[in-house]
């Protein structure tokens, strides 16, 4: 008994492994593409990049604590000394210096200025100094409050507050649109493979059918009921069918590899993909006003339009601000110098500074005016361009919505045509077998059957591609009545 079991197992293991069949629906392919495809991973990476860029922008408005210093600095050189008789003498010096600064800096977004609080410790040591001199000497700024304020200048922080949140919001919506674009591309590749799969089925059916017809015609020729011309015609058609099968297998393999690579499915020669026919269409209405409203509410394009308007206004403001450059610098602090560090903090002195710098071009040969006029012209051009882009965008949605009922109707008509053509071919085949029609009429019925099948698949492709394009353009799923992008509170 045990020997029989061992022989049976050995026989099973010796059999060639059967190829596993993987059945996938359209939604399976789309979900796989969104999770594993290189395109989805690239979209996810771009989303992270924009997030960290936004975090970097937000950090520009927070205070920063910086520690800087020179530990230590050594200098040995010769310097020039003026003598009483007008001549110069050169003396050597050797110095050692160190410095340490701790500063807290806070940008002022409303005015574009900057306020900082600093504490500094400096040490200077003259290595050639006489023993009677104080050496080393320490200089300390206990604290120093400093204000740097541009007057009538360009405020980067104010304009960034208007553009960067728009850019970040645009990136989040673009991510959802990219995922819907992946759905559209996955749909296209799905139907590419489905076309190849259907073509192979048609080619194999035609090959088997033509082989049967050839045998029938050969039998009729042998008994003299058909001509040599018809026999050769059927043989030629059989040879073409063999060629069609070979080409269909090659096309199926090519499209299978393309589909696997796009959706990130590991290729395996032991697995055969079989795609189902997505012939169950979702039922929904698409009011044009709602489609346009969802697009304006959700699409990244409309955020981009607003951002580009703000950036055009920003460029004009920047060009005008460059006509004059005025900076106010004011500081107040306490500092002291002594032979030891503790002594520098005893009875420190006030330290006060106020500077107002001004730069006004008197004669620049129209350079400043040209910059301003260029910015104004670009602002006007941006407005015209955005108006045209909005019109084109709305027209795309209007056209797609208008096509939907036509596409749905085409699916129903081509499905019925496929059924009728299949039935007609079966009738024609029966009539051919009993000699009521010739091979030419049978071939016409066969061609119409194949074309009707392909037309039905093409109508399904057009409908599902338009469906996912509509989702991408509006970020709204009309079939399930839900938003694809939710605004954050």
């Amino acid at each position: 008994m045990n020997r029989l079991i061992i022989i049976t197992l050995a026989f099973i293991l010796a059999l060639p492994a059967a190829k596993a069949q993987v059945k996938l629906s359209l939604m399976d392919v789309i979900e796989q593409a969104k999770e594993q495809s290189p395109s989805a991973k690239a979209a996810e990476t771009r989303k992270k990049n924009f997030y960290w860029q936004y975090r970097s922008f937000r950090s520009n408005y927070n205070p920063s604590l910086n520690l800087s210093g020179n530990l230590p600095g050594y200098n040995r050189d010769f310097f020039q000394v003026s003598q009483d008789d007008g001549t110069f003498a050169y003396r050597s010096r050797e110095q050692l210096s160190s410095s340490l600064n701790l500063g807290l800096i806070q940008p002022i977004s409303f005015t574009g200025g900057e306020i900082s609080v600093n504490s500094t410790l400096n040490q200077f040591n003259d290595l050639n100094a006489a023993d009677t001199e104080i050496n080393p000497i320490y200089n300390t700024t206990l604290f120093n409050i400093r204000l740097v304020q541009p007057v009538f200048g360009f405020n980067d922080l104010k304009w960034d507050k208007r553009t960067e949140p728009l850019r970040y919001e645009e990136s989040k919506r673009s991510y959802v649109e990219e995922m819907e674009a992946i759905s559209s591309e996955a749909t296209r590749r799905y139907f590419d493979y489905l076309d190849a799969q259907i073509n192979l089925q048609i080619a194999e059916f035609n090959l088997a059918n033509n082989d049967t017809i050839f045998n029938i015609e050969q039998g009729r020729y042998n008994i003299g009921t058909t001509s040599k011309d018809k026999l050769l015609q059927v043989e030629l058609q059989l040879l073409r069918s063999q060629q069609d099968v070979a080409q269909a297998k090659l096309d199926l393999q090519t499209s299978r590899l393309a589909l696997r690579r796009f959706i990130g499915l590991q290729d395996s020669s032991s697995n055969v993909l079989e795609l189902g026919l997505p012939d169950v269409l979702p039922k929904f209405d698409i009011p044009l006003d709602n489609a346009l409203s969802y697009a304006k509410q959700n699409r990244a394009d409309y955020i981009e339009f607003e951002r580009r308007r703000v950036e055009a206004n920003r460029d004009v403001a920047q060009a005008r601000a460059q006509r004059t450059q005025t900076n106010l610098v004011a500081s107040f602090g306490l500092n002291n110098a002594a032979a030891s560090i503790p002594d520098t903090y005893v009875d420190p002195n006030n330290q006060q500074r106020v500077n107002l710098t001004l730069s006004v071009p008197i004669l620049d040969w129209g350079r400043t005016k040209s910059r301003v006029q260029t910015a104004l012209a670009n602002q006007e051009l941006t407005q015209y361009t955005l108006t045209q882009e909005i019109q084109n965008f709305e027209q795309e949605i209007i056209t797609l919505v208008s096509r939907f009922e036509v596409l749905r109707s085409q699916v129903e008509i081509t499905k019925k045509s496929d059924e009728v053509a299949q039935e007609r071919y079966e009738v024609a085949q029966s009539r051919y077998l009993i000699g009521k029609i010739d091979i030419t009429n049978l071939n016409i019925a066969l061609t119409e059957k194949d074309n009707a099948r392909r037309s039905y698949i093409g109508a399904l492709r057009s409908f599902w591609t338009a469906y996912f394009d509509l989702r991408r353009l509006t970020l709204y799923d009309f079939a399930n009545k839900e938003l694809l992008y939710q605004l954050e509170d």
Side-chain angles (χ1 to χ4, degrees):
M1 183 66 179
N2 292 335
R3 184 178 180 183
L4 178 61
I5 295 175
I6 294 174
I7 293 174
T8 304
L9 290 176
F11 175 75
I12 294 174
L13 293 175
L15 291 175
K19 290 188 176 181
Q21 196 171 62
V22 180
K23 295 184 178 181
L24 295 175
S25 66
L26 175 59
M27 295 306 169
D28 292 335
V29 170
I30 290 174
E31 289 303 317
Q32 176 73 19
K34 287 183 176 181
E35 292 177 2
Q36 299 294 335
S37 70
S39 298
K41 293 178 179 179
E44 185 69 28
T45 302
R46 282 190 290 270
K47 179 183 177 183
K48 292 179 181 179
N49 287 340
F50 278 110
Y51 169 76
W52 288 111
Q53 288 177 20
Y54 182 70
R55 286 286 300 271
S56 177
F57 148 74
R58 292 289 299 271
S59 67
N60 292 335
Y61 299 84
N62 298 328
S64 60
L65 184 63
N66 301 319
L67 179 66
S68 61
N70 178 19
L71 304 172
Y74 174 76
N75 176 57
R76 184 176 183 276
D77 63 355
F78 289 86
F79 66 99
Q80 182 177 277
V81 179
S82 177
Q83 304 296 313
D84 295 337
D85 58 0
T87 60
F88 295 96
Y90 291 91
R91 298 180 181 176
S92 65
R93 60 184 174 188
E94 190 175 7
Q95 301 168 338
L96 195 65
S97 63
S98 302
S99 64
L100 191 64
N101 178 78
L102 182 65
L104 180 65
I105 304 172
Q106 173 61 60
I108 307 174
S109 61
F110 181 74
T111 63
E114 179 184 278
I115 188 170
S116 61
V117 180
N118 302 278
S119 181
T120 305
L121 173 64
N122 298 307
Q123 177 201 6
F124 176 77
N125 192 348
D126 189 353
L127 300 180
N128 294 333
D131 295 338
T132 57
E133 297 180 5
I134 300 176
N135 196 36
I137 187 170
Y138 295 92
N139 174 263
T140 300
T141 299
L142 182 60
F143 76 91
N144 174 269
I145 301 177
R146 186 170 183 264
L147 172 67
V148 178
Q149 178 59 58
V151 181
F152 307 116
F154 179 72
N155 188 348
D156 289 309
L157 296 176
K158 183 185 75 172
W159 284 102
D160 285 348
K161 268 190 172 182
R162 298 178 61 183
T163 59
E164 294 307 312
L166 290 175
R167 193 185 306 277
Y168 180 51
E169 182 66 25
E170 179 187 343
S171 71
K172 292 189 292 184
R173 300 183 186 206
S174 294
Y175 170 74
V176 181
E177 293 176 24
E178 285 187 75
M179 300 306 290
E180 292 305 313
I182 290 173
S183 299
S184 297
E185 182 63 17
T187 300
R188 186 184 71 80
R189 293 177 183 265
Y190 181 91
F191 276 97
D192 286 346
Y193 184 83
L194 186 61
D195 283 340
Q197 179 178 294
I198 296 297
N199 287 336
L200 179 59
Q201 293 174 1
I202 291 174
E204 289 177 339
F205 175 84
N206 291 343
L207 176 60
N209 187 67
N210 288 330
D211 183 64
T212 301
I213 293 174
F214 175 73
N215 292 329
I216 293 173
E217 288 294 326
Q218 195 171 39
R220 289 176 177 177
Y221 177 75
N222 291 335
I223 62 176
T225 58
T226 189
S227 64
K228 181 70 172 179
D229 176 66
K230 288 185 178 180
L231 179 61
L232 293 175
Q233 179 184 355
V234 172
E235 185 178 6
L236 180 60
Q237 191 164 333
L238 176 61
L239 294 174
R240 288 175 178 171
S241 297
Q242 293 173 350
Q243 183 179 0
D244 290 342
V245 169
Q247 183 63 47
K249 288 181 178 179
L250 178 60
D251 293 342
L252 183 68
Q253 181 181 7
T254 303
S255 58
R256 177 177 66 88
L257 291 175
L259 178 63
R260 283 181 174 274
R261 288 173 181 172
F262 179 76
I263 67 177
L265 192 64
Q266 295 297 323
D267 189 30
S268 175
S269 59
S270 61
N271 292 335
V272 177
L273 291 180
E274 181 181 359
L275 304 186
L277 195 64
D279 53 356
V280 179
L281 306 185
K283 299 289 186 180
F284 54 87
D285 296 324
I286 314 174
L288 179 58
D289 292 340
N290 290 355
L292 290 173
S293 176
Y294 286 129
K296 293 178 181 179
Q297 175 185 340
N298 302 323
R299 279 296 304 275
D301 288 28
Y302 280 89
I303 302 295
E304 179 193 356
F305 296 155
E306 179 61 23
R307 174 179 59 80
R308 288 164 61 183
R309 286 192 188 97
V310 174
E311 289 177 343
N313 295 337
R314 177 201 62 191
D315 294 341
V316 172
Q318 185 175 17
R320 286 174 173 168
Q322 290 176 345
R323 291 180 294 186
T324 60
Q325 296 181 7
T326 306
N327 291 319
L328 173 64
V329 181
S331 65
F332 173 80
L334 299 176
N335 72 335
N336 200 359
S340 65
I341 295 178
D343 291 340
T344 59
Y345 293 96
V346 177
D347 193 21
N349 299 317
N350 290 340
Q351 181 189 50
Q352 302 170 11
R353 292 179 182 175
V354 176
N355 294 320
L356 182 65
T357 61
L358 179 66
S359 175
V360 180
I362 302 300
L363 182 63
D364 64 354
W365 307 104
R367 187 181 300 110
T368 301
K369 182 179 179 181
S370 298
R371 281 198 299 262
V372 174
Q373 292 302 317
T374 300
L376 288 171
N378 288 336
Q379 182 188 41
E380 187 176 2
L381 178 61
T382 298
Q383 184 60 43
Y384 293 149
T385 303
L386 291 179
T387 301
Q388 183 63 46
E389 289 181 6
I390 292 174
Q391 292 176 353
N392 294 340
F393 180 76
E394 293 178 351
Q395 184 61 46
E396 184 179 8
I397 295 177
I398 293 171
T399 302
L400 184 58
V401 171
S402 302
R403 289 180 54 218
F404 242 93
E405 288 307 316
V406 177
L407 293 174
R408 189 185 298 274
S409 176
Q410 285 179 349
V411 172
E412 296 174 356
I413 293 173
T414 54
K415 181 178 182 181
K416 183 63 176 178
S417 299
D418 181 38
E419 296 171 353
V420 171
Q422 177 67 31
E423 184 177 0
R424 178 179 181 272
Y425 173 75
E426 293 173 357
V427 171
Q429 188 180 41
S430 299
R431 297 187 67 194
Y432 168 77
L433 293 176
I434 61 176
K436 293 293 185 179
I437 62 173
D438 59 9
I439 188 62
T440 301
N441 288 324
L442 179 62
N443 288 338
I444 292 174
L446 178 65
T447 301
E448 290 179 349
K449 175 184 73 69
D450 295 345
N451 291 339
R453 187 62 174 173
R454 292 188 178 100
S455 296
Y456 178 46
I457 302 299
L460 287 173
R461 175 199 287 266
S462 299
F463 176 86
W464 284 109
T465 301
Y467 171 72
F468 287 108
D469 283 342
L470 182 65
R471 285 168 54 107
R472 177 180 58 83
L473 291 175
T474 61
L475 293 191
Y476 184 78
D477 184 2
F478 286 90
N480 298 312
K481 300 187 185 318
E482 63 180 5
L483 290 171
L484 301 176
Y485 173 74
Q486 300 289 340
L487 294 173
E488 298 179 0
D489 296 332

